[in-house]
Amino acid sequence: MNAVLRIFVWLLALSVVALPVVAVLNGWVGAERWPLAKLRVHGEFKRVPAEQLQQVVLPYAKSGFFAVKLQDAQDAIETLPWVESAQVRKQWPDVLEITLVEHKPFARWGNDRLLSEQGKLFATPKKLQDLELPDLDGPDSQTEEVVALYNDARALFAPAGVDVKRVTMDARGSWSLVLSNGTEVVVGRDDARSRLQRFVRVLPQLANQAAPIERADLRYTNGFTLSWGTPAPAAPAAPAAPAAPANVAHRTQDRT
């Protein structure tokens, strides 16, 4: 009986010591004594409203310095539309620090998402629906490959004075492009870059054609086929300047 009593007394003493620590760490007590009173944000801060960030963080900060769940607060911040990544730390005695990285849109991806400069996909905010960006599309796992071909294609077509507006990779890995002059370029699956190089080399020879190139199909081993659009209508001739009346003479008068 004495052994059981000693164990009970030992457990009671342990609980008396541990319970306050558990209570503080869980925010049951101490939130008012050790509050998180200051919010400090680092990073380029343009599109995430400060009020929205404060609203998201406040429920976690209420737990106090020792009980705040930093990972949960970080996960909540990263659900905001413009946030690409966040780090949340605490600094004694009352500071909650947030390091924030915002999305910087690089291109449109599909119908309703944007691709950031860091290669992450995020939903298109309403304010950016009309933003002028290149259109890219493909399997979500192939964002790096799509961006790489887009950059290569721009460099190839730039000497010809043509930009690349759209690059698409379909589910089978087949490529297609749309150029700034409206030409659709069907590239296919294999040797996309070498096929584009072969097409770009002959563009100067096609520049003087009366009709624009509507579609170029590069899916051939040694060449490609072209579809021509409707020639642009000729500009109307400028009206001739009216002749001066025959009976009008030019006179000069000397002044003294």
Side-chain angles (χ1 to χ4, degrees), residues 16-29:
V16 170
V17 174
L19 187 59
V21 176
V22 173
V24 170
L25 293 179
N26 284 277
W28 302 335
V29 297

Side-chain angles (χ1 to χ4, degrees), residues 221-233:
T221 305
N222 297 314
F224 47 83
T225 62
L226 301 176
S227 300
W228 302 92
T230 305

